[in-house]
Amino acid sequence: MPGLSGFDHAIVYVPATKEEPALWVDATAEGFPVGTLPPALLDRKALVIASDTDGLTALPTRASVTSRVFEEIEVRQAEFGEASATLTRGFEGPIAGWMRGRFAKADARELEQALRPSNRLLVGDDPMVVKFENAEPSLAPPRFVGTAARLRAVDTGGLTATITLAGPVVGGFADDDWLGRDGARKEETPEAEARRAKDILDATGLTEAQLEARPVKLAERLVLERRLRVVPAAGFVAGPLPPSRTLSFGAARWHETFSTTKDGVVEVTYRFDSGGVDFDGPALAEFRRAFWKWDKESWPRLTLLLEADALFQQSKPAEAMAAWRAQLAANPRQGVLRARFAQALSNLGFDDLARPELERALKDAPRHPLVLMIEGDVRRRGAHGLIYGKGFDRPGAIKAMRGAIAELPRHSWPRFRLAELLERDADGEVVWASSPELLEAVSIYEQLADEDLSDALPPLYDALLRLRRFEDIVRRKQKERQSLEGDVYGRVASFMVDGPELCVQYLRGVEDPQQRASEAAALLGILSLQRDTAKLDAAAAAFEGTLPGGGGVILKSIFTGVRRAPVSKDVSAPEAAMRSLLTQLAEAPGTPAKARVAKALGTKALADEVERLGLQALTPLASGSFAIDATLTRGTCTADTTAGTASRVTCTVQLGKPVVASAWFVKEATGWRLDSLGALGTLADRALRAANAKETELAVKWLNWTSERIDQLGVPARLPELRLFRSFWPPQGTPSLAEVSFAASQARLFGSVEEATAMELARAFESARPTLTGAKRRLADQVLASVYLRAQQPKKAVEILKPLAESEGEDALFQQLTAALNRAGQLDEARELARKALERTPTDATWASLSASVAEREGRYADARATYEAVYARTNDEDLVNNLLWARYLTGLNDEEGEKMANALSARKTASASELHTAAVVLVRRGKVPAAAQLAQRIALRSPTGTPDDARLQLRAELLATLGFVTEARATWNQLALKDPGSDMARLKEKGLKALDGKP
């Protein structure tokens, strides 16, 4: 090598032939592969020592030599938990020699530090094991091989996992002089900019602008390649991938391609090619401008989704279930996948289908933490799939969650669920009394909060509030750097620890007077739960001045002076028995617990009556316990013992509105036994039973009590039922047994009336009709017609209404008659009445709706829909939306507009079960199965222990059919009672069963 330095290289030269290019081998360059010269020798000339040498021979040029860095990264998604990955980085060309020299003898720490930086977006700080292979000179390229067994950045916790598809970091291998400086980058301060300029000048003798403008010569051509393979877990698929593209950075090129193989593996390829070795002037500026613009882009992120869930979200329920079935067929022993399937079924309300799948999953993967978590989650569901509903398996759920925690101690999900379970009793009600289980729940919530799980804070604060650990709430708020006035927990805790100042300050900051009064009432109500009467008095006094218009005075009068009544078990006298009942109810939070108290003091479980006791419903300002305490310390309790062996005790207190508690006790040898509470339906039932037993005096007592409860509950005075009852009760003079029986039959209508009960009441009405005249007879007939409709006897209703409407001539009676004719199947008459009425008053919305209802009954659904649409367009009556949407559903019009109407209908806070049902079946047809299933659960909440009616069965059948559960759907259709064979439900059943014909 001619030059001023000494001879430092011994190179073997093999001249080129027709078949092979020239070969240069530098024997003194350790680590460099055969045929690759160190970059410093390129673009030079060498003296070849040979007999025919007659001058210098050119060595390879920089442009003809390429340093290539190639990477292979495979990420394997776990079916649950953290992914794993294998990372390989190899080198070819001059860079291979440099890497051998640098890392041939490196330790494990150095190797990990070499591989981690350009993979930090993927592996973060997770442990990696890295080896350096082919360190000795050979034809095989040297390479790093790293394995990461746990990638927290790619965690399959629920139904999705995400991964950043990071490419090679060009700046880690390219010449800094070539890349230059990002001209768009802004320095933090002018001082930092000045320091940078000085450092460059000191190091190079050039200004930064001069340095940036210098030509750049790369030692060799640079190619960087990275190939990513992402292997989804069973049941998962890749979400949308970005499009492939090629970008130009001047002479350099960037290529990226994205694809998915038929096996579902995502393959991503990145390739960067410098495109040359010499850059100057405009070409250099163009390269840098394009490069730094690209450098600001974020790497794409890939989402791996549970395929079936993704299809559900795309409104493709049939395809979702097909995906589940295909995945389970391909992976029959994969317990985790089957457990996910069980959870999906449970979330859709099909607990009966979920449990067998879960049992199979437990056999295949009995100790897998996710399977155990899902087992606990499914066992949390009780009747009709309701979470913590009646009959949920609390011990089984706790056992499953503890098992999951044993397998995966630090995972938040099973610990959070366990805490929820531990703070509830067997009825799903949160407990108030301190217990080891409640304290364990608090400890778990605290641990989760310390781990920055924000969802743990509300239940933690709630539990601490129930345990009266106010100082702990204050400390936790301070630790979380949360303001005490930010929520009611902090405000109550601050009050209990430091007094009313913060609460008063907060209330004064609420500008809207009505909102301020509401906030003050809520604060006092929650403070009343603590049963600290002195603190409650202080709060009421402190808040008094914050409310304008005397509102503070009213609240103070309600909440001041209440004292906690000691629990009593004295049943020696009626009033004492009543006080015992109330004090024990005050100590029993939640309806099921109150029902147990009622049962303990009586002969049967009185759960339904406890719900309507009146101690909570009549005062929204305070808890039931507070109302009971107020009743016993500020109210009056009186006992009517005239019956001798039975006594009614009534307790009343004024809390803004009167709060009334009434109960009936019967004398026994051991004291007074609770026989009934003051629930309206039960009172009337007792009156009716007494009348049937010819116990007139006792029946009168029950009727008087019923009459009082009707007034207390505010039953609308316009109701025909109430107008009729008030024409009989209170009676004028001493009523006869017949009059008492008839009044009791009327009163019974104010409660829940089943079909059999309705027929019994109808018979009572029929026996009384001959004795009635005038207004009483007309009212009785109108009410009797509605009773027959309740009893599924529309023809009887028609027999009564027809002469009544014709004699009275009232439009309302003709409308009631038309509805009854429609129910009775006498459609010609119903249609004619509606037609004549609409001729007289064409714009009458009620008659138009009745006309549409008749058309619907006749199966003319298109006509019914058109009428409802016209009426709605004219009146914009929200009460018509349900009818209109149902008619659209029956005509098969399942469009986006219907979906919007269904969503609006279900969003109403006061939505009826009928409205929720209509919205749900529309959503099923629109493919929104998860949303429809949620509405089904809302409907079930209205009657969590009752037998499903035809509407609920139809919704279940539609859901099952949509999901491909043919046998179950057919069985559900066949459960429909269909007491009205000409109804919509009958036609829907026929259509539903026909659609299932021929399906396996």
Side-chain angles (χ1 to χ4, degrees):
M1 297 288 294
L4 297 177
S5 62
F7 285 91
D8 57 359
H9 288 273
I11 300 174
V12 176
Y13 169 63
V14 180
T17 65
K18 289 182 179 181
E19 292 79 17
E20 299 289 343
L23 181 65
W24 299 85
V25 182
D26 186 347
T28 59
E30 292 186 17
F32 279 77
V34 173
T36 301
L37 296 177
L41 303 183
L42 303 177
D43 277 355
R44 296 177 63 179
K45 294 183 181 295
L47 177 63
V48 177
I49 302 173
S51 59
D52 58 350
T53 296
D54 58 2
L56 298 177
T57 301
L59 289 157
T61 64
R62 289 178 294 113
S64 69
V65 176
T66 299
S67 275
R68 176 172 171 260
V69 182
F70 55 91
E71 297 177 309
E72 293 277 348
I73 300 175
E74 182 172 278
V75 179
R76 296 169 295 279
Q77 180 195 6
E79 55 185 2
F80 174 72
E82 296 147 341
S84 61
T86 302
L87 304 87
T88 302
R89 178 185 295 159
F91 307 91
E92 291 179 345
I95 195 171
W98 188 89
M99 286 293 169
R100 279 198 177 101
R102 171 68 180 83
F103 293 104
K105 298 181 180 180
D107 59 23
R109 182 174 175 275
E110 290 178 290
L111 295 175
E112 187 183 31
Q113 288 179 337
L115 195 56
R116 184 180 299 278
S118 62
N119 290 289
R120 190 170 294 278
L121 285 175
L122 179 65
V123 299
D125 295 321
D126 294 329
M128 275 199 304
V129 177
V130 183
K131 299 182 295 181
F132 190 69
E133 297 182 346
N134 304 326
E136 298 299 323
S138 68
L139 293 177
R143 63 179 189 172
F144 295 102
V145 178
T147 56
R150 295 174 53 192
L151 294 185
R152 284 175 291 182
V154 189
D155 191 304
T156 310
L159 306 179
T160 62
T162 57
I163 176 174
T164 300
L165 301 175
V169 180
V170 176
F173 297 97
D175 192 315
D176 288 344
D177 289 342
W178 178 41
L179 300 179
R181 179 181 172 223
D182 179 7
R185 184 172 58 193
K186 302 297 183 184
E187 295 299 334
E188 294 183 1
T189 63
E191 291 78 9
E193 188 76 25
R195 283 196 300 272
R196 174 187 295 277
K198 182 178 183 302
D199 291 343
I200 291 173
L201 187 62
D202 291 344
T204 65
L206 301 171
T207 66
E208 187 169 10
Q210 290 171 330
L211 183 65
E212 287 283 305
R214 285 195 315 179
V216 174
K217 294 183 178 292
L218 302 183
E220 73 268 77
R221 187 169 179 168
L222 177 64
V223 173
L224 304 177
E225 296 175 351
R226 171 174 284 188
R227 186 185 180 202
L228 276 163
R229 280 173 48 85
V230 182
V231 183
F236 285 79
V237 294
L241 293 170
S244 302
R245 63 176 180 168
T246 298
L247 301 176
S248 296
F249 305 158
R253 294 288 185 273
W254 171 266
H255 302 275
E256 54 188 40
T257 61
F258 304 87
S259 63
T260 305
T261 70
K262 64 178 182 179
D263 296 327
V265 176
V266 175
E267 293 186 342
V268 181
T269 302
Y270 298 110
R271 189 174 191 274
F272 175 80
D273 187 340
S274 67
V277 293
D278 294 318
F279 301 87
D280 61 3
L284 182 60
E286 181 186 3
F287 164 75
R288 288 171 173 166
R289 186 167 50 251
F291 173 82
W292 287 113
K293 179 182 178 182
W294 166 81
D295 187 68
K296 290 182 175 63
E297 294 183 10
S298 298
W299 294 112
R301 289 174 65 82
L302 169 68
T303 301
L304 301 170
L305 313 98
L306 191 65
E307 182 180 16
D309 184 69
L311 289 167
F312 271 128
Q313 301 309 319
Q314 297 168 24
S315 304
K316 298 177 180 178
E319 292 88 338
M321 291 308 299
W324 269 125
R325 292 183 175 101
Q327 290 286 355
L328 291 170
N331 304 276
R333 299 298 301 276
Q334 198 125 13
V336 173
L337 187 65
R338 193 169 295 279
R340 288 188 185 277
F341 179 51
Q343 186 174 43
L345 293 173
S346 181
N347 289 340
L348 293 174
F350 299 120
D351 209 52
D352 53 328
L353 303 178
R355 289 184 181 269
E357 299 292 343
L358 182 60
E359 292 301 322
R360 283 191 60 182
L362 286 165
K363 288 181 180 178
D364 293 333
R367 296 179 60 84
H368 194 287
L370 181 62
V371 176
L372 292 169
M373 288 183 215
I374 292 174
E375 179 192 8
D377 218 36
V378 171
R379 291 186 185 280
R380 287 192 311 146
R381 297 179 182 272
H384 309 299
L386 300 176
I387 294 178
Y388 302 124
K390 185 177 180 62
F392 85 102
D393 184 2
R394 182 177 183 271
I398 289 176
K399 181 181 177 182
M401 290 304 177
R402 290 198 188 280
I405 294 169
E407 298 296 326
L408 206 62
R410 301 308 302 165
H411 202 284
S412 60
W413 180 18
R415 289 187 288 154
F416 190 91
R417 286 284 182 263
L418 176 62
E420 281 188 332
L421 287 158
L422 291 173
E423 67 168 333
R424 284 170 169 76
D425 61 17
D427 296 306
E429 299 276 350
V430 293
V431 297
W432 286 71
S434 179
S435 68
E437 286 191 335
L438 179 55
L439 294 176
E440 183 184 354
V442 169
S443 176
I444 294 171
Y445 286 138
E446 288 176 330
Q447 292 169 9
L448 292 170
D450 288 339
E451 295 167 16
D452 295 327
L453 184 68
S454 59
D455 288 349
L457 289 173
L460 171 60
Y461 292 145
D462 190 70
L464 291 174
L465 200 65
R466 300 199 305 274
L467 288 169
R468 299 180 56 80
R469 287 168 52 177
F470 309 112
E471 295 85 355
D472 289 344
I473 295 177
V474 172
R475 280 194 291 270
R476 173 58 67 174
K477 285 278 186 181
Q478 292 169 343
K479 184 176 182 178
E480 300 291 336
R481 298 184 179 179
Q482 296 176 341
S483 62
L484 286 173
E485 67 271 21
D487 58 34
V488 71
Y489 299 114
R491 294 193 285 273
V492 170
S494 170
F495 180 90
M496 300 299 286
V497 174
D498 298 318
E501 288 77 9
L502 184 142
C503 290
V504 171
Q505 179 183 349
Y506 168 76
L507 290 173
R508 286 176 176 162
V510 179
E511 295 183 2
D512 180 19
Q514 186 174 356
Q515 178 66 22
R516 188 187 305 177
S518 176
E519 292 277 5
L523 270 169
L524 289 167
I526 293 174
L527 285 168
S528 75
L529 293 171
Q530 308 306 317
R531 314 292 291 279
D532 188 328
T533 54
K535 291 276 189 181
L536 189 59
D537 290 351
F543 296 169
E544 180 181 9
T546 66
L547 303 183
V553 175
I554 295 173
L555 286 182
K556 184 179 178 182
S557 69
I558 292 172
F559 287 95
T560 301
V562 176
R563 295 294 175 265
R564 184 172 182 175
V567 176
S568 170
K569 296 184 179 179
D570 182 5
V571 292
S572 59
E575 186 178 346
M578 183 66 171
R579 289 181 176 275
S580 296
L581 169 65
L582 293 181
T583 57
Q584 291 184 59
L585 289 175
E587 298 296 318
T591 298
K594 293 184 188 301
R596 286 196 296 271
V597 172
K599 182 178 180 180
L601 292 172
T603 58
K604 65 173 185 175
L606 303 172
D608 291 340
E609 295 185 50
V610 170
E611 290 181 359
R612 295 182 288 272
L613 186 58
L615 296 176
Q616 297 174 33
L618 295 185
T619 170
L621 302 179
S623 70
S625 299
F626 173 78
I628 290 173
D629 290 339
T631 301
L632 294 178
T633 59
R634 283 172 35 188
T636 57
C637 290
T638 58
D640 178 4
T641 57
T642 56
T645 59
S647 177
R648 173 194 170 196
V649 185
T650 303
C651 297
T652 307
V653 66
Q654 191 78 20
L655 292 179
K657 293 181 180 180
V659 177
V660 181
S662 299
W664 187 265
F665 294 89
V666 175
K667 190 172 184 180
E668 293 185 339
T670 56
W672 289 81
R673 169 182 56 78
L674 175 66
D675 192 53
S676 178
L677 299 170
L680 187 56
T682 304
L683 297 177
D685 189 60
R686 295 298 176 92
L688 188 59
R689 278 194 277 164
N692 291 339
K694 299 182 179 181
E695 297 175 339
T696 307
E697 186 177 348
L698 184 58
V700 167
K701 288 180 178 293
W702 286 110
L703 276 171
N704 286 336
W705 190 0
T706 304
S707 180
E708 290 177 15
R709 289 299 288 151
I710 289 172
D711 289 338
Q712 292 163 4
L713 293 173
V715 175
R718 66 180 182 276
L719 287 180
E721 291 88 344
L722 183 57
R723 288 161 52 202
L724 178 64
F725 180 71
R726 283 290 172 238
S727 70
F728 279 87
W729 213 269
Q732 296 179 352
T734 304
S736 66
L737 177 60
E739 291 173 321
V740 170
S741 297
F742 189 43
S745 298
Q746 297 168 48
R748 185 65 183 82
L749 291 173
F750 292 104
S752 175
V753 177
E754 302 295 333
E755 183 179 337
T757 303
M759 279 305 300
E760 181 184 349
L761 298 178
R763 286 190 288 271
F765 270 70
E766 291 284 9
S767 63
R769 284 178 74 197
T771 66
L772 302 178
T773 59
K776 283 188 176 182
R777 172 64 181 261
R778 289 192 295 273
L779 270 176
D781 283 353
Q782 189 176 356
V783 173
L784 176 58
S786 66
V787 173
Y788 273 126
L789 288 175
R790 290 196 205 187
Q792 304 296 326
Q793 297 287 327
K795 290 184 178 180
K796 288 281 189 181
V798 169
E799 290 176 8
I800 296 168
L801 284 170
K802 198 169 186 178
L804 181 62
E806 290 172 350
S807 64
E808 298 295 320
E810 292 181 9
D811 213 35
L813 287 172
F814 277 109
Q815 288 169 351
Q816 189 177 4
L817 171 61
T818 304
L821 287 166
N822 193 27
R823 288 272 302 275
Q826 297 170 240
L827 303 180
D828 291 341
E829 293 180 66
R831 189 186 331 103
E832 186 64 14
L833 281 174
R835 185 189 65 77
K836 289 180 178 180
L838 287 172
E839 284 181 352
R840 295 191 304 271
T841 54
T843 60
D844 189 287
T846 302
W847 276 114
S849 296
L850 283 168
S851 173
S853 180
V854 174
E856 182 183 311
R857 174 75 177 193
E858 291 178 320
R860 295 185 292 112
Y861 297 134
D863 292 343
R865 189 187 83 205
T867 303
Y868 283 130
E869 285 174 342
V871 175
Y872 183 68
R874 188 170 67 249
T875 65
N876 203 29
D877 184 356
E878 292 298 317
D879 291 337
L880 276 176
V881 173
N882 188 36
N883 291 339
L884 172 56
L885 190 59
W886 182 247
R888 288 168 59 94
Y889 171 75
L890 293 172
T891 56
L893 182 58
N894 303 305
D895 57 7
E896 187 175 352
E897 180 63 25
E899 184 178 331
K900 289 179 180 178
M901 293 172 67
N903 288 330
L905 200 61
S906 62
R908 295 181 187 175
K909 291 182 179 179
T910 58
S912 66
S914 172
E915 290 170 329
L916 293 176
H917 171 264
T918 303
V921 292
V922 168
L923 291 175
V924 173
R925 294 287 176 87
R926 291 287 294 167
K928 310 294 185 181
V929 167
Q934 289 180 2
L935 294 183
Q937 290 202 358
R938 283 177 61 186
I939 297 170
L941 279 169
R942 308 292 178 90
S943 179
T945 58
T947 302
D949 58 12
D950 280 358
R952 284 171 61 186
L953 289 170
Q954 182 244 344
L955 174 54
R956 176 180 168 86
E958 294 279 7
L959 282 166
L960 288 166
T962 299
L963 297 174
F965 290 99
V966 176
T967 303
E968 293 81 359
R970 187 177 287 112
T972 304
W973 278 123
N974 287 323
Q975 288 180 46
L976 269 65
L978 295 182
K979 295 178 180 178
D980 184 356
S983 66
D984 296 337
M985 284 297 173
R987 293 191 181 98
L988 287 169
K989 175 182 177 180
E990 181 182 1
K991 185 177 179 181
L993 287 172
K994 187 175 181 180
L996 297 174
D997 286 345
K999 293 186 177 181

